[in-house]
Amino acid sequence: MGIHFDSGAGLFTLETAHTSYHMQVDERGHLLHLYYGRRIGQGCLSTLYPPADHGFSPDYYPNRRDRGVSPDVLPQEYTGCNVGDFRLGCLVARDEHGAAGADFLYVSHTIRPGKYALNDLPAAHDEEEEAETLIVCLKDAVTGLELELLYGVFARQDVITRAARLRNGGSAPLRLEKAASLCLDLPFGQWDLIHFHGRHAMERQMQRAPLTNAIHTVSSTRGASSHHHNPFVILCDRSATEDAGLCYGVMLVYSGSHRTDIEVDQNGSTRLVSGLHDQGFCWYLQPGESFETPEALLCCAPDGLGALSRRYHRFIRHNICRGVWRFARRPVLINNWEATYFHFDTETICRIAEKAASLGVEMLVLDDGWFGKRDDDNSGLGDWYVNENKLPGGLNPLIERINALGMKFGIWIEPEMVSEDSDLYRAHPDWAFTLPGRAPAMGRDQLVLDMGRPEVVDHLTDVLSDLLRRHHIEYVKWDMNRNMSDVYSRALPPERQGEAAHRYMLGVYRLLNRLTIAFPHVLFEGCAGGGGRFDAGMLAYFPQIWCSDNTDAIERLIIQHGTSFGYPVSAVGAHVSACPNHQTGRNTPLWTRAVVAMSGTFGYELDLGRLTDEECRQVKEQIAAFKRYYDVIQNGQYYRLSDPAREPRYVAWQTVTDSEALLNLVLTRPEGNARPLHLCLRGLEEDALYCVDTMRLYGITVTPEVHSVQAGISEGAVYSGSTLMYAGCTLPRLSGDYPSVQLHLTRVANH
């Protein structure tokens, strides 16, 4: 495994545990992509692409007479610009004359142990010292533009990271109008595209469709990875399932505007190009200056969608997330937002905390409204000092009372935004994005701070560091509640305005890096109106992200199902909320709400003081169950056991470790004369024996037609792993409004 170079053939081979990636420097010096898929070992594959004259596909100038050697047909590792490849391109580079052009030829390469680093962007790290780095250097002879293609090979994990570094090695300025992170050419095969669309409160809805001879685009121009199109796509065999079929994943480690295009061309070849969105983008490169693209995580799973997901889950936890909290047990928390919204004082919060502590909750999080002039969402953002009208004496007396209950204290902030009605905006109106001479569009009656300005990042570093130093705060919920418009930086000259949006993200990352290093004990949770910035870039600083503002458990089933294709359970912020639900008005049993929230970081977001004695007893049991199952939930292998698009009756999922398994199912559509609920488990050892030590049935309604719960798999029974996986199990008959099942199995012996 690792990186190999055959100098005689000009062949690079990148090998992981189950995959091979081949590319070759051809006789002209272009770097061609040859193969990515199931592991095949070394060997030259250039014969897969014999020269052929394709109509209206121009040839390189030296081949103008013999034809058949066209950039429009050959599989490229990273495309040039305006040189006869009419498919999707990676780059638009203009010289001082305004001419767009670049033709990159091989110069050299470097292979070294360890993982390359990016200067200002989040990227995968290699604490386990398993990675190797390949850097291939290419150059355009006319402009002097130098291209370094960066590859990080994590062989055991079947992940290859990719990024590009562009340097102006010429004597005149250049303008980059597009700079993608990677190109992936798949010359053969027919593929389905899986992507994750949505909207606020309905994020990451999985959609799968066959690719056609067209260009398919998954993108965001919102200045955030967005609620609408996640920066993660999958290409898979038309017949691929959870357990079989070739699958490719491309995930950007970036939180701003992004774009992934997939084209099926005239020859049936598929090309994917992914990276920064080029709308409004223009990066000015003086001689000697460099630009780095965001990193992409490339993964190939020859054995199905489930394996692809589990590889991403492990990689994100081990090689994207950082700090003590990526593996540490997260506290069960209560957030006051849906209990009080902006209307609270010290006594209100303490009453919530007292009730929560009596039920076993471990942390209270004080949400929006504790600072500045903040009684609604029209003022106060930017003024990160305590509103003592609500909290007399400030935060410390409140925190002391919370800590005296044996609970930790956390707080909500939204540092990247500013209200017009704030001291910060009155002092520095030029720190906000607004267009000269125009009234800005307003989202939530707030503006976006120009995080590309060093003085803005320095100010926020000082203010937030002071907040965390002066108060015993152990958790921070970092929110962002509007997307970018009116993007114009008063700190940049006209020729650099196209850099403002990307510089914003670099500033955010710079601030997060400073704070997470300075306060390693603080658990930071990301949020952007819920799941509007749920991406690998944020996970490099936040080990968990609030999955969605939609806390309806039944809708969360679909949101969390889509999220699971790329992101681990440990990253999913999930709470039990009140019923009727504040977003949908739906009533769902309290235990079912807990079963759904347990497939995340787990907490509560409701007024616990309004619960009945029976409901309080259930909360205690839920917290105890979550703590008991914590290891298998957070550290286990994740398996999707149902497809909501094909089986709308229920959603089922499972987590597995070497010693235990946890099956969860929620019935979403009960039926008269119901068909049996039959499932085949996954991930167990065939020859091992498993005891059903706990089977909980929640929210079941007994009707005259259903006099009792009909038996299926039973508590105390012992089954072999092969029986549970291949013969499967039939669950008891469920009825009523959204009942659920939680089945815990312990491995007891081998045959």
Side-chain angles (χ1 to χ4, degrees), residues 505-541:
M505 278 315 315
L506 297 179
V508 171
Y509 292 143
R510 194 173 302 117
L511 175 60
L512 292 175
N513 192 55
R514 290 178 183 179
L515 292 175
T516 53
I517 289 174
F519 301 96
H521 66 284
V522 175
L523 171 56
F524 286 85
E525 178 177 86
C527 182
R533 220 164 48 179
F534 203 115
D535 57 71
M538 286 291 109
L539 288 170
Y541 307 98

Side-chain angles (χ1 to χ4, degrees), residues 650-694:
Y650 62 86
V651 177
W653 65 99
Q654 176 193 347
T655 48
V656 184
T657 66
D658 290 340
S659 60
E660 58 182 329
L662 184 68
L663 167 67
N664 304 274
L665 180 144
V666 176
L667 189 69
T668 55
R669 198 178 77 183
E671 296 176 328
N673 190 21
R675 292 165 289 168
L677 286 172
H678 178 266
L679 296 172
C680 289
L681 277 62
R682 294 190 176 108
L684 306 179
E685 290 290 333
E686 290 186 359
D687 296 332
L689 295 177
Y690 294 85
C691 176
V692 182
D693 57 32
T694 307

Side-chain angles (χ1 to χ4, degrees), residues 208-220:
R208 177 173 178 170
L211 288 176
T212 59
N213 283 77
I215 296 174
H216 305 257
T217 299
V218 177
S219 71
S220 167

Side-chain angles (χ1 to χ4, degrees), residues 419-442:
S419 302
E420 285 186 310
D421 184 4
S422 68
D423 294 342
L424 180 65
Y425 184 79
R426 284 184 282 272
H428 300 285
D430 57 314
W431 284 9
F433 280 147
T434 57
L435 292 169
R438 297 180 185 272
M442 300 296 285

Side-chain angles (χ1 to χ4, degrees), residues 196-236:
F196 305 90
H197 69 97
R199 59 191 185 275
H200 175 240
M202 285 299 290
E203 299 89 343
R204 290 173 301 288
Q205 307 291 297
M206 191 270 272
Q207 187 169 69
R208 177 173 178 170
L211 288 176
T212 59
N213 283 77
I215 296 174
H216 305 257
T217 299
V218 177
S219 71
S220 167
T221 58
R222 294 171 173 267
S225 51
S226 86
H227 304 84
H228 305 79
H229 294 287
N230 197 260
F232 169 52
V233 300
I234 298 170
L235 297 182
C236 64

